[in-house]
Amino acid sequence: MQYRELGRTGILVSELCLGTMTFGQQNTEAEGHAQLDLALEHGVNFIDTAELYSIPPRAETYGATETIIGSWLKARGGRSKLVLASKVVGRSSSPWYRPGGEEARLTPRQIRYALEGSLRRLGTEYLDVYQLHWPDRKIGLFGEGGTTFTTLPDTDEVPLEETLGVLGDLVAEGKIRHVGLSNETAWGVAKSLACAQNGAPRVASIQNAYNLINRTFEIGLAEMALRERVSLLAYSPLGQGYLTGKYLNGARPAGARTTLFNRGQRYEKPGVDVAVEAYLNLARAEGIDPVQFALAFVTSRPFVTSNIIGATSLEQLTTALTSVTVRITPELESKINAIHQVHSNPAP
């Protein structure tokens, strides 16, 4: 396991980060604890969660993942050796996020409410990274609208200055150490960095989807990440499991996430299956496990600081953790890019 600096913070995080969104629905508390133990045994020091987890979001499971991580931290200790990140939900009409069914917004009052809940469930006095799960302003999210942006929405927005201002107060109070973005655009990153010139905390990271069938981060955001040292924390490195090939031709394996929850629409667009087959064939021709192939590609990108992996079994997690032994050679990268040229970003 290698370690990389998170933004300009001086904090070193493992090149693989343990994603935890299955804890509380697909995984029990005991299974979550076992995953955390195994990840640490392999050198992972970075754990990512969110107030809305587990996935899919439901009132009954809101905060369940943080609660499981909190019970593990209480039992195992060692909080100071970990880099712990969580997220506050962006604008949402789901009634269970805020008291009285109030619409969730990234206002100072609501951010303080959300953070206090996360700290309580996690049993910690501070978060190393507190991320805005998605913006308050209206943009295409989670594959909606592809990569296009054509008109300004006619909805009100909580100004980023206001949101980042309260996060700066929370940094000063010692409740969070650093600030991150998620599901954000190049404009959002640039605007956030501009706010830092006026006293707001400098964003350390951006957590966006990045994988073989969605490399849209490379269009604008990768240069931003490298030049400004805003770390990409890549989520969905397996394209929600579609890059394993288990969903090819409409297959729905028992117990798989899309089988259980029917939430794979981002990766069910025209052209996805043929692209997945091309990458699977390349991995097999190279003698590389397809899961490790897809993960190693993401981890090897120079603008990726940490690759967020997730699993529902220890066997799956072991495969993911040992992907760090796979090297993407220049020759293999050329073959990957040849496929990408023909099948570019079918699941943005």
Side-chain angles (χ1 to χ4, degrees), residues 299-321:
T299 307
S300 69
R301 300 304 85 196
F303 48 84
V304 171
T305 295
S306 196
N307 182 1
I308 303 174
I309 59 171
T312 54
S313 72
L314 295 182
E315 181 182 6
Q316 289 178 347
L317 185 57
T318 298
T319 298
L321 289 165

Side-chain angles (χ1 to χ4, degrees), residues 89-169:
V89 299
R91 186 178 195 145
S92 175
S93 59
S94 296
W96 57 84
Y97 293 132
R98 300 294 174 256
E102 181 183 9
E103 181 184 35
R105 302 294 301 273
L106 290 175
T107 63
R109 175 177 56 83
Q110 290 203 23
I111 288 172
R112 284 187 174 276
Y113 172 85
L115 177 61
E116 291 300 331
S118 290
L119 294 176
R120 182 178 64 255
R121 288 185 292 270
L122 289 163
T124 184
E125 295 181 350
Y126 68 97
L127 288 172
D128 297 284
V129 189
Y130 198 41
Q131 304 157 99
L132 307 178
H133 207 153
W134 60 86
D136 189 87
R137 68 188 191 282
K138 185 174 177 56
I139 62 171
L141 288 169
F142 311 113
E144 296 176 4
T147 59
T148 60
F149 186 94
T150 56
T151 58
L152 286 172
D154 58 354
T155 55
D156 66 311
E157 302 170 355
V158 177
L160 263 172
E161 293 90 342
E162 186 175 327
T163 297
L164 290 169
V166 70
L167 292 175
D169 293 340

Side-chain angles (χ1 to χ4, degrees), residues 17-33:
C17 171
L18 183 63
T20 59
M21 69 182 188
T22 61
F23 299 3
Q25 285 194 66
Q26 286 182 271
N27 287 112
T28 65
E29 180 179 46
E31 289 169 342
H33 287 192

